[in-house]
Amino acid sequence: MEESEFNALAEKTLAAIEAGLENSGADVDFELGAGGVLEVEFADGSKMIINRHGAAREIWVAARSGGFHFRPDNGSWIDTRDGSELFAKLERLLAEQAGEPVPLR
């Protein structure tokens, strides 16, 4: 995958995550910053960072429960370790950290 194609796909995905957070009604603050870094802050002060990593052509998630890497595969982003889909994994990780459901779709 070319870098420009990856960047466009990653930006679209991060924007969809941001829109999902906005519509979720969960008690979280978030900001999509320059360079494709989405920072989510929870009521307890903990944070989750979701960002694109151009060199690896992946989206990386740093959560309280660990770090996760997702690669594009047939229209989805798939966890490089357990094969789970990005949005499904994020909903679980966000709910764990927020203490409430955080639906993104």
Side-chain angles (χ1 to χ4, degrees):
M1 174 181 291
E2 294 294 322
E3 184 175 358
S4 61
E5 183 183 0
F6 166 78
N7 285 333
L9 182 59
E11 286 177 24
K12 180 180 174 185
T13 302
L14 290 168
I17 295 167
E18 182 182 32
L21 288 168
E22 182 73 38
N23 295 324
S24 73
D27 185 18
V28 297
D29 292 321
F30 55 91
E31 181 177 354
L32 182 57
V37 178
L38 178 59
E39 185 174 312
V40 183
E41 185 170 352
F42 299 87
D44 66 0
S46 68
K47 293 185 180 182
M48 180 180 295
I49 307 297
I50 306 162
N51 67 292
R52 68 176 183 221
H53 190 276
R57 304 286 196 271
E58 296 176 343
I59 288 181
W60 288 5
V61 176
R64 183 168 46 199
S65 60
F68 306 89
H69 300 180
F70 297 84
R71 285 193 185 129
D73 184 13
N74 292 324
S76 295
W77 292 89
I78 304 300
D79 188 310
T80 60
R81 280 188 277 175
D82 69 9
S84 60
E85 190 274 332
L86 173 65
F87 282 86
K89 175 76 72 93
L90 270 180
E91 286 178 343
R92 184 178 59 78
L93 294 170
L94 288 161
E96 286 174 5
Q97 211 157 323
E100 65 177 299
V102 184
L104 296 176
R105 303 174 259 183

